[in-house]
Amino acid sequence: MAQINARGGVQGRSLQLQMVDDAYQPNRTLDNVRKMAAEGAVLALLSCVGTPNNTAILPVIEDNGLPYVAPLTGASSLRKGSSRNLFHVRASYEAELRKIVSHLATLGINKISVVYQDSAFGKANLETCLQIARELQVEVLGSLPMQIAALHEWLQQAWPGSGEASRPAQPGALILQGVRRAVLEGVLRPGERVPSSRELARELGVARNTVVAIYDQLKSEGMLVAGHGSGTFVCRVDEALAQATAESAPSGGPRSGVAEGGARPLSLSRRGLSYQRHPVHQFWRPQPFCSGQLDLNLFPLSIWNRLQRKHLSQGDASCLEQGEPGGAMALRRAIADHIRTTRGVRCQPEQVILTDGTVESLELVARLLTDPGDVALMENPCYWGASHVLGDHGLRTCSLDVDAEGLPVPQPGQLPAPPRLVYLTPSHQFPMGHVMSLARRLAWLRYAEAHDAILLEDDYDSEFRYVGKPFPSLQGMQDTGRVIYLGTFSKTLYPGIRMAYLVVPEPLAQVFATASSDFYRDGDVVQQRVLADFIREGHYAAHIRSTRREYGLRREALLGALREALGPELADGRLRLSGGAMGMHLTLLLPDAVDDRAISRATAERGVTLMPLSVYCVGAVRSGLILAYAAVPCSQMAPNIALVAPVIRQALAGC
């Protein structure tokens, strides 16, 4: 063990490590410093090095005879005479602890002694430190358990930072959590007397009533017990509970490591892992050409704000309710009028059910109209959220490759069973961009009637057609109730509106409205009223017309930039455009041998997001790149394409 003399010198080339919390405030004596040490969560190096060379590399400050070793990195920024220049690092970050011990070894300090707090946390971190020392062949001369701090000192570490300015305005909850943890973690041992409420309140600078209420709460929880005129004492706590609490301690208070062999952390389910591992998350970055982005500068915010002010000023207590089942009738009526006129949808306002998005619409359909094990037929490729939400409800998802006419009608024996649900994007297939032909639409209607299937028509961006008139909706072509129509305002207004809807058959309208209210708790009454006025007064139609013109110009600018930068590749067929003059994205098809994900990674590093087509495939994998142009001004098309063209050209070089 290193011997500390009166001036803080050290005999030999060994060093003492002391584990303290990162909220540590150094006192003036070694005894007080030891009392301040808590939980072994953060390291401070106490002692100094005996040789001048090492002193130069590892500066030392002496404060009233007590030496403090400065940070191993950033030593040039040391403020001489400041006792705050301690090396602070969370010991739970094993790599940082390893870096410290390794650095000591490079300085010729190959013997250490460790001072740790005598608690489960201190012992856990001691084991980590000893393991690292063994790996790095640093000899541990010994370890010294340290007595715990006074309760008020230990609790003060629950406040982030230091000083009165950083303390919360209402510290009672933090103190309660801190005392509770002190009991569970063994800082306060069974039978130990806790400070009186008056004493603890004085030390912490809070009202005595605050501490009295905390003690009363902990007594009711069975953690403290009042003696008869002799004070308040700590009860014995079940060791399994204390250990579980210790290993799950939050990072906001006194830190701790996790003891070896402790409880396993929570893990994701198979569904959770499937979501987490979906490749779309690897590539979606909010950069130019990223899917799902709009140019919000095109939105008529002044009109929207005027309508919001109107409804907020005229609002009464009914605005605070969760709203009518199915959504505000004024908005449902406005939507019904709009889609009857523009999309040929056959519906009454009661059939329009408001939701927070297309995923919620699909969940509602799956919940009410399917059973686990039913078959859901998907387009390949398709919107990834649709396949996930239907699969998560226990449906067997199957897929067929789309062709130039959309999703083909399955042939006998092609599926394990007739599908209960069929997910379609007939007006603009996502992401291939095809429009379903009239013959194919009629074939699907006949198939649904013959096989008791439900067709889910996702009409996500049909408003943006730049040549000719859009096809009428599939729903409007039948009166048998086999089609459920899905629409959203996130693509036409702004993504944050979180407003979508579905049109259900009239006999199911009431149960869908009630279920939507029960499961998803409709609300945002003011916004629904604002949107109703926005549609009814003609602002929505005007906004669609203006954005359609602008997005059409942007599409042409993108096509021109592609022809300019990748003309030879387009001409010889190595690059092919998929889809027609509609929507808000273009899809570039690549040869199957080309890795679209490698291209996407490379272009992302250049500041441009080209989503790979393969991440949307739920069957046979196709290679391609998706360019969403709605949020990219015309002036930025050519520069952004110029950035990614060399990457695409290089990937096609061997084809």
Side-chain angles (χ1 to χ4, degrees):
M1 182 74 71
Q3 302 298 315
I4 300 178
N5 61 30
R7 292 295 301 160
V10 64
Q11 299 174 0
R13 303 184 68 194
S14 60
L15 191 67
Q16 186 181 59
L17 295 180
Q18 183 165 0
M19 298 182 177
V20 300
D21 187 84
D22 61 356
Y24 167 77
Q25 294 295 304
N27 283 314
R28 295 297 185 248
T29 67
L30 182 59
D31 182 58
N32 284 337
V33 170
R34 287 178 174 176
K35 287 182 179 179
M36 291 289 291
E39 295 190 315
V42 178
L43 292 178
L45 304 182
L46 288 175
S47 187
C48 64
V49 182
T51 67
N53 288 337
N54 280 350
T55 301
I57 297 173
L58 195 62
V60 172
I61 301 172
E62 292 187 1
D63 191 351
N64 283 359
L66 181 64
Y68 299 96
V69 175
L72 298 176
T73 58
S76 61
S77 64
L78 187 67
R79 297 195 302 272
K80 187 172 179 58
S82 169
S83 61
R84 283 178 162 274
N85 283 295
L86 295 174
F87 192 97
H88 287 78
V89 59
R90 299 181 186 180
S92 57
Y93 297 155
E94 184 177 335
E96 294 295 329
L97 180 56
R98 186 180 300 276
K99 182 176 70 174
I100 294 172
V101 179
S102 177
H103 190 68
L104 296 176
T106 64
L107 297 177
I109 301 170
N110 53 15
K111 298 179 180 180
I112 66 173
S113 58
V114 182
V115 181
Y116 65 95
Q117 181 179 343
D118 190 13
S119 70
F121 305 107
K123 293 174 183 177
N125 285 289
L126 171 64
E127 289 301 317
T128 302
C129 186
L130 296 180
Q131 175 64 30
I132 293 172
R134 285 192 292 269
E135 293 175 7
L136 299 176
Q137 296 183 339
V138 173
E139 182 181 355
V140 179
L141 299 179
S143 58
L144 176 65
M146 192 183 315
Q147 295 301 311
I148 60 174
L151 178 59
H152 73 273
E153 293 176 328
W154 194 87
L155 289 174
Q156 284 169 340
Q157 299 170 47
W159 283 292
S162 62
E164 294 296 327
S166 64
R167 293 191 176 187
Q170 299 293 330
L174 278 178
I175 298 173
L176 174 61
Q177 294 170 15
V179 178
R180 184 185 289 122
R181 287 186 56 203
V183 173
L184 293 172
E185 296 167 9
V187 175
L188 294 174
R189 301 181 184 278
E192 184 176 345
R193 183 181 182 276
V194 297
S196 69
S197 58
R198 190 185 306 278
E199 177 186 355
L200 186 59
R202 182 179 64 252
E203 294 290 352
L204 295 176
V206 299
R208 184 189 176 196
N209 285 345
T210 299
V211 179
V212 170
I214 290 169
Y215 280 3
D216 288 344
Q217 174 64 30
L218 293 173
K219 290 173 187 175
S220 69
E221 295 177 10
M223 292 189 177
L224 300 180
V225 62
H228 297 290
S230 56
T232 302
F233 297 86
V234 179
C235 295
R236 183 172 299 279
V237 179
D238 180 78
E239 291 184 3
L241 173 62
Q243 180 69 9
T245 304
E247 291 165 353
S248 62
S251 60
R255 273 82 174 179
S256 67
V258 177
E260 187 175 342
R264 289 186 300 173
L266 288 176
S267 60
L268 293 173
S269 65
R270 287 192 297 271
R271 287 185 298 182
L273 288 172
S274 176
Y275 165 79
Q276 182 187 47
R277 295 169 179 171
H278 196 284
V280 75
H281 303 306
Q282 302 174 24
F283 300 98
W284 196 96
R285 299 186 189 179
Q287 300 178 143
F289 299 127
C290 182
S291 299
Q293 294 187 302
L294 303 179
D295 189 341
L296 301 182
N297 292 319
L298 301 178
F299 183 71
L301 195 57
S302 60
I303 296 174
W304 187 263
N305 285 339
R306 174 175 59 79
L307 294 174
Q308 286 194 117
R309 287 192 297 269
K310 167 191 166 184
H311 284 280
L312 287 171
S313 64
Q314 298 177 357
D316 53 23
S318 64
C319 294
L320 308 179
E321 297 283 352
Q322 71 179 47
E324 307 170 51
M329 184 53 68
L331 178 54
R332 296 163 74 184
R333 186 175 296 110
I335 292 173
D337 291 342
H338 174 75
I339 59 179
R340 273 199 303 263
T341 302
T342 61
R343 302 295 298 123
V345 175
R346 301 183 184 186
C347 69
Q348 298 300 318
E350 292 77 13
Q351 295 174 249
V352 178
I353 309 299
L354 301 182
T355 67
D356 284 345
T358 298
V359 166
E360 184 178 305
S361 298
L362 291 170
E363 285 185 339
L364 197 56
V365 171
R367 185 185 294 273
L368 297 181
L369 298 181
T370 69
D371 294 311
D374 285 347
V375 172
L377 179 60
M378 313 300 298
E379 302 171 322
N380 181 48
C382 74
Y383 168 48
W384 73 277
S387 59
H388 262 263
V389 71
L390 296 180
D392 286 350
H393 276 272
L395 277 68
R396 291 184 292 165
T397 56
C398 304
S399 66
L400 295 176
D401 295 345
V402 298
D403 56 28
E405 295 184 79
L407 181 68
V409 174
Q411 299 301 311
Q414 199 170 6
L415 300 177
R420 174 61 172 169
L421 296 181
V422 182
Y423 177 78
L424 301 166
T425 51
S427 296
H428 187 221
Q429 202 279 331
F430 181 84
M432 298 298 287
H434 302 311
V435 177
M436 185 176 286
S437 67
L438 178 60
R440 182 70 59 82
R441 291 170 186 247
L442 294 173
W444 268 116
L445 292 174
R446 290 192 296 269
Y447 182 91
E449 182 67 23
H451 294 86
D452 193 27
I454 301 166
L455 307 181
L456 302 179
E457 180 182 9
D458 189 352
D459 204 22
Y460 66 100
D461 71 353
S462 62
E463 292 88 349
F464 300 108
R465 185 175 178 89
Y466 310 114
V467 177
K469 296 291 184 182
F471 276 98
S473 67
L474 186 65
Q475 192 269 2
M477 298 176 64
Q478 54 85 49
D479 57 4
T480 59
R482 290 291 168 186
V483 182
I484 293 179
Y485 180 87
L486 312 178
T488 178
F489 292 102
S490 296
K491 301 293 186 184
T492 55
L493 293 179
Y494 56 92
I497 194 170
R498 305 307 306 151
M499 192 85 71
Y501 58 92
L502 66 162
V503 178
V504 300
E506 193 168 4
L508 301 177
Q510 185 57 54
V511 67
F512 265 81
T514 304
S516 175
S517 179
D518 286 342
F519 292 126
Y520 306 110
R521 292 299 174 191
D522 300 326
D524 220 344
V525 174
V526 172
Q527 181 168 261
Q528 292 181 16
R529 293 176 181 178
V530 169
L531 181 53
D533 280 359
F534 191 78
I535 297 173
R536 189 169 52 247
E537 294 177 9
H539 306 303
Y540 181 72
H543 175 60
I544 294 298
R545 288 194 298 270
S546 64
T547 51
R548 185 189 297 130
R549 285 193 298 269
E550 178 61 28
Y551 292 162
L553 294 174
R554 295 183 182 191
R555 179 179 181 276
E556 291 302 318
L558 175 57
L559 289 172
L562 289 170
R563 296 188 187 103
E564 179 69 24
L566 296 166
E569 290 77 12
L570 288 167
D572 62 22
R574 285 179 295 167
L575 273 183
R576 292 178 292 123
L577 289 172
S578 178
M582 66 201 73
M584 294 181 286
H585 73 273
L586 287 176
T587 299
L588 283 176
L589 298 181
L590 301 165
D592 290 339
V594 174
D595 186 349
D596 57 356
R597 301 187 187 192
I599 295 176
S600 182
R601 292 188 188 96
T603 60
E605 296 303 317
R606 298 187 174 211
V608 178
T609 296
L610 305 183
M611 290 297 293
L613 178 62
S614 61
V615 303
Y616 296 102
C617 292
V618 291
V621 177
R622 301 186 184 188
S623 183
L625 301 168
I626 300 169
L627 291 78
Y629 51 79
V632 184
C634 291
S635 60
Q636 296 300 311
M637 294 295 180
N640 280 300
I641 293 300
L643 285 174
V644 302
V647 178
I648 298 174
R649 193 178 299 112
Q650 182 179 2
L652 294 172
C655 298

